[in-house]
Amino acid sequence: MTEFWMELQAVDSYQVKASGILTGADRKIITMLYQPLMGAECLALYQTLFTEVEENRLWSEAHSHVQLLNMLDISLKALFEARLKLEGLGLLKSYVKTENDQRFYVYEILPPLSPEKFFSDGLLNIYLYSKIGNAQFQRLRRFFADEAFETDTYSEITRSFQDVFEPFKGGASAAEPVSNQVLVDKVAAKEIEFDDASFDFHLFLSLLSPGMITREKITKEVRQTILKLHGIYQVSEKDMPSYLYRSLDSNGEIDIVYLRKIVREGYTIENGAPPKLQMKHETSIKEEPEVKETLNDEEALQVYLESITPFQLLVDISDGAVPAETDLRVVEEVMNQQNLPVPVMNVLIEYVLLRLDRKLSKNYMMTIAAHWKRKNVKTAKEAMDLAWQEHEKYKRLQEEPATPKNTNYNRNYQKSTRKEILPDWFDKEQVTPAENKMTDKEKQTLEEQVREIKERLNKR
């Protein structure tokens, strides 16, 4: 996925084009069925773009994206991701042209699928079910459904046009249409279709037994169903034939509804939960760094902490065991509140575990994290250097007993004693940075961790 700042800038101009008329029923469909999949920001963007097109008009005026950012009160990155979601869900088409180093965008608003098409789509309805659960899913089905009207006992008496109106006898012809104008029309919704770029149909067909299923039965609808099942559940070319054999009805025809059902049930049993709809994110394709013999202990540790997630770090430290939920909550809360980069958070976890005998303390971590945030620490190396530079100060901070709260003090007493409750390394006096000295036990522990890290990297 392209980095948003390379494809979109706030100063870029845009216009909105309406593909037909959006009805009140369409708005309900977008709000009730699409919003759980794309989020409130996407819904707000869709409705804002459509509102910009005046009534009974197909085009809006040109504006810069600054207007959208101000109206929606979101960042440029959030706007770009919301646009991508609308495009992926078939609700928006985007066009761009560049003139004199300036980009001009056209956003074409598309109507949503009808409830009947949505709930029989085999793609969006599956992700909606996974998102909201069975009870809410069935409630939405009832919301967009009604009792079937049986006409078997009725006789149709509808007259045709020729039965009602006299034949045209005049000589005048209709006015010629203006060449640069397009009349407003109701257009069909764009159904989501998958390509076969990631699915080898030649291999799949070679594995399919002609005695069981002939090639003629792989219709366009069946083909799209296969591609969607591959995209959603990652069913391989080798496994797909067995699912098709099981989906054959008594007449030897492929039952698409049953095919979706058995694939969904197989995935849920294997993974424990239905699939979730997630956006693709830009991931740079990098070769995993090789740990060379020339790396010293600190460099090996730095490489490791730069290339791993906090969750995997805790797993590795626990020799493959799933981290405790309490530890994960502590790490998540510290990361969210202090907004630390992942490598810096990894260094903090390693340091705290080293200092506190393999235990995580939320208050201790939060204090150091806040200090690193103020220092604008961005990389693992910066965090490691600062950790050992401030090592003696952090030790005193951890060793200081909590100051008991006294509820019977007045404001003047609070002012006079405020300095006393601060850690002594916050004193205004100039403090000489502590030397990077560790105890023998700490050195031994660090050497053991580095040795384990090298072994894990070499196994990759």
Side-chain angles (χ1 to χ4, degrees):
M1 186 182 296
T2 307
E3 290 285 357
F4 74 95
W5 49 267
M6 296 177 61
E7 188 171 329
L8 182 65
Q9 295 292 332
V11 295
D12 293 340
S13 298
Y14 76 94
Q15 279 185 282
V16 185
K17 179 181 183 297
S19 289
I21 303 168
L22 188 69
T23 66
D26 291 331
R27 295 180 186 274
K28 288 182 181 179
I29 294 169
I30 292 171
T31 302
M32 303 293 284
L33 301 183
Y34 283 83
Q35 184 179 201
L37 299 177
M38 62 187 184
E41 286 184 348
C42 285
L43 177 65
L45 174 60
Y46 184 90
Q47 292 181 338
T48 301
L49 291 176
F50 198 88
T51 304
E52 288 192 21
V53 183
E54 295 182 4
E55 186 177 3
N56 297 327
R57 293 292 182 269
L58 293 178
W59 289 90
S60 73
E61 295 180 355
H63 302 284
S64 72
H65 283 79
V66 174
Q67 173 175 301
L68 272 180
L69 297 175
N70 290 335
M71 284 195 296
L72 298 173
D73 192 24
I74 58 177
S75 66
L76 186 64
K77 180 180 180 181
L79 173 63
F80 181 71
E81 290 185 351
R83 193 194 90 188
L84 294 187
K85 289 181 181 179
L86 291 176
E87 291 171 1
L89 292 171
L91 298 175
L92 185 72
K93 285 184 179 179
S94 298
Y95 307 87
V96 64
K97 71 174 180 178
T98 303
E99 292 181 355
N100 300 325
D101 295 329
Q102 186 176 0
R103 284 186 295 237
F104 300 88
Y105 284 89
V106 170
Y107 296 137
E108 183 179 359
I109 298 292
L110 303 175
L113 295 174
S114 67
E116 191 278 331
K117 287 187 177 297
F118 187 98
F119 282 104
S120 61
D121 177 63
L123 177 71
L124 299 181
N125 58 331
I126 292 174
Y127 284 121
L128 180 64
Y129 183 91
S130 173
K131 179 71 174 181
I132 65 179
N134 181 66
Q136 179 71 358
F137 184 83
Q138 297 301 333
R139 189 186 76 83
L140 288 178
R141 281 186 64 96
R142 293 192 297 270
F143 183 86
F144 288 101
D146 206 343
E147 294 291 334
F149 180 72
E150 299 294 340
T151 59
D152 296 343
T153 58
Y154 291 80
S155 299
E156 185 176 0
I157 58 172
T158 308
R159 267 72 169 182
S160 67
F161 182 90
Q162 293 91 334
D163 293 333
V164 177
F165 299 101
E166 290 287 343
F168 181 68
K169 299 178 181 179
S173 60
E176 292 293 328
V178 181
S179 60
N180 63 343
Q181 289 184 347
V182 179
L183 294 174
V184 178
D185 190 14
K186 175 67 175 176
V187 299
K190 177 187 175 183
E191 297 190 36
I192 299 175
E193 293 189 350
F194 280 34
D195 59 43
D196 56 2
S198 62
F199 189 85
D200 190 345
F201 255 98
H202 293 292
L203 174 59
F204 160 71
L205 292 174
S206 67
L207 298 173
L208 200 63
S209 171
M212 294 285 291
I213 300 177
T214 61
R215 300 295 184 269
E216 290 74 19
K217 291 183 179 179
I218 308 299
T219 62
K220 181 180 179 181
E221 183 182 11
V222 173
R223 187 184 181 94
Q224 270 300 307
T225 301
I226 291 173
L227 291 175
K228 288 179 180 179
L229 292 175
H230 169 71
I232 298 170
Y233 303 106
Q234 297 302 302
V235 182
S236 67
E237 295 86 347
K238 296 180 180 179
D239 294 333
M240 190 65 74
S242 63
Y243 282 112
L244 286 177
Y245 299 152
R246 293 169 55 191
S247 68
L248 295 175
D249 59 19
S250 57
N251 297 321
E253 300 296 329
I254 299 173
D255 187 336
I256 292 180
V257 175
Y258 187 66
L259 174 62
R260 293 170 181 163
K261 180 177 183 295
I262 57 178
V263 173
R264 180 178 67 249
E265 290 176 347
Y267 179 92
T268 304
I269 292 173
E270 182 177 347
N271 295 274
K276 305 292 183 182
L277 184 63
Q278 296 177 331
M279 287 188 68
K280 288 183 177 179
H281 291 285
E282 178 74 6
T283 54
S284 300
I285 302 175
K286 300 180 181 178
E287 294 183 0
E288 293 195 6
E290 297 181 1
V291 180
K292 302 179 182 179
E293 294 298 329
T294 56
L295 289 181
N296 59 35
D297 290 348
E298 183 179 347
E299 290 172 340
L301 182 60
Q302 178 186 333
V303 169
Y304 173 70
L305 296 176
E306 288 279 3
S307 61
I308 200 169
T309 64
F311 178 84
Q312 187 60 46
L313 174 62
L314 292 173
V315 171
D316 290 348
I317 291 172
S318 304
D319 295 326
V322 178
E325 188 175 345
T326 53
D327 289 344
L328 292 177
R329 280 202 299 265
V330 169
V331 171
E332 182 181 4
E333 189 168 347
V334 173
M335 283 190 70
N336 290 340
Q337 289 194 20
Q338 300 301 331
N339 196 24
L340 292 179
V342 170
V344 177
M345 190 66 205
N346 288 337
V347 177
L348 179 58
I349 293 172
E350 282 276 359
Y351 179 80
V352 172
L353 290 175
L354 177 65
R355 283 291 310 133
L356 303 185
D357 192 23
R358 301 295 180 107
K359 292 183 293 186
L360 292 179
S361 169
K362 175 184 170 182
N363 293 336
Y364 187 52
M365 290 184 72
M366 195 70 76
T367 302
I368 299 176
H371 181 214
W372 291 2
K373 184 65 178 178
R374 290 192 296 271
K375 287 282 191 177
N376 198 28
V377 178
K378 297 293 186 182
T379 65
K381 186 179 187 307
E382 292 175 355
M384 292 167 66
D385 292 342
L386 185 59
W388 295 118
Q389 178 184 339
E390 304 288 344
H391 180 57
E392 292 298 324
K393 296 179 181 180
Y394 292 154
K395 282 177 63 177
R396 291 199 301 272
L397 179 65
Q398 188 262 329
E399 292 165 359
E400 286 181 355
T403 305
K405 294 183 179 180
N406 186 354
T407 56
N408 298 321
Y409 58 81
N410 57 32
R411 185 176 301 173
N412 293 331
Y413 181 76
Q414 181 184 7
K415 289 182 179 179
S416 64
T417 59
R418 180 174 297 170
K419 186 181 294 185
E420 295 177 3
I421 65 175
L422 293 174
D424 55 2
W425 53 282
F426 276 94
D427 198 347
K428 294 181 180 179
E429 296 182 4
Q430 190 71 24
V431 179
T432 304
E435 297 181 0
N436 299 349
K437 293 183 179 180
M438 294 183 287
T439 64
D440 293 338
K441 182 180 178 181
E442 290 171 341
K443 288 181 179 179
Q444 182 181 359
T445 304
L446 179 60
E447 290 173 357
E448 291 177 357
Q449 289 180 343
V450 171
R451 185 172 62 254
E452 293 174 358
I453 289 167
K454 283 187 174 182
E455 291 176 356
R456 289 196 293 266
L457 288 173
N458 287 329
K459 291 178 181 179
R460 289 186 173 186

